[in-house]
Amino acid sequence: MGSKNKLKRFKENLDFKNLFQPTRDDLIHNSFKLKGKWVSFFKNDNPIVLELGCGKGEYTTELAKLNPTKNYIGIDIKGARIWKGAKESTQNNLNNVCFIRTQIELIDKIFCEQEVSEIWITFPDPQQKIQRKKHRLTNSFFMSLYKKILKKGGEVNLKTDSEFLHGYTIGLLEGMRIDPIFANHDIYSNNNAPKEALEIKTFYEKKFIDSKKITFLKFKFD
């Protein structure tokens, strides 16, 4: 994408009512006003569901269409990508979806303890190199953040084409003595997979689905 297009999108991002771009300083100093008060934005107290590393927000918006009685929030640091989800959901008048441009390691500055009902992690970079372990979205640090903001019984969903990340995460769960609710190495050959995992596909998933198996993992901490 050219620099002119990026600048145009960054400018448009400032006008979207469903896109929040708090500064790192605001979050670190607990100045984000919607923390614990998301009902003031959504105008209801429906369950809050996050998609972490949402990219262009296509999964977030499709989840919102599929489940209108839940509120969906996509989080990503890439402003030029998240623009697409904010624009599409605005054009489609999706009132149960919004986006936040920030680092995922700061989510506990955006949500209070036990404020979130469910988390989706869809096709994250598996960060296979050992020196990149700290960036894996299911490492022990991130798991502790998820556990902190999730309600009792809140679920985490991991959908990926990386057998490495799927296996790594199962290994972590075993170490935590957590049995997955659902785990499959090829969800499209399993009709018992949750409908949100089967019925929604990202652009890249559609592109490579014939050459790569898609794994799916669902678990909760308690």
Side-chain angles (χ1 to χ4, degrees), residues 41-143:
F41 172 78
F42 288 112
K43 310 303 180 186
N44 61 62
D45 59 358
N46 292 340
I48 292 175
V49 182
L50 310 183
E51 186 196 0
L52 304 179
C54 68
K56 296 179 180 180
E58 52 204 311
Y59 219 94
T60 305
T61 53
E62 290 303 314
L63 283 170
K65 293 175 185 176
L66 197 61
N67 301 302
T69 59
K70 294 181 180 181
N71 298 320
Y72 289 88
I73 302 176
I75 298 177
D76 203 287
I77 192 59
K78 301 291 187 179
R81 293 180 186 174
I82 211 169
W83 165 89
K84 183 174 177 60
K87 188 176 184 69
E88 181 182 338
S89 55
T90 297
Q91 291 175 335
N92 286 283
N93 295 313
L94 290 175
N95 297 319
N96 65 325
V97 61
C98 71
F99 295 88
I100 305 173
R101 184 188 179 193
T102 192
Q103 294 95 343
I104 295 171
E105 60 263 30
L106 296 174
I107 56 173
D108 63 331
K109 307 298 183 182
I110 298 171
F111 305 98
C112 288
E113 291 186 19
Q114 300 187 41
E115 189 174 13
V116 174
S117 294
E118 190 174 5
I119 291 173
W120 280 80
I121 306 170
T122 53
F123 300 95
D125 188 330
Q127 308 287 0
Q128 284 190 241
K129 294 182 178 180
I130 189 64
Q131 61 266 36
R132 300 290 297 175
K133 180 180 177 180
K134 67 178 181 179
H135 298 290
R136 292 176 197 158
L137 290 187
T138 57
N139 67 25
S140 56
F141 168 73
F142 283 113
M143 289 288 215

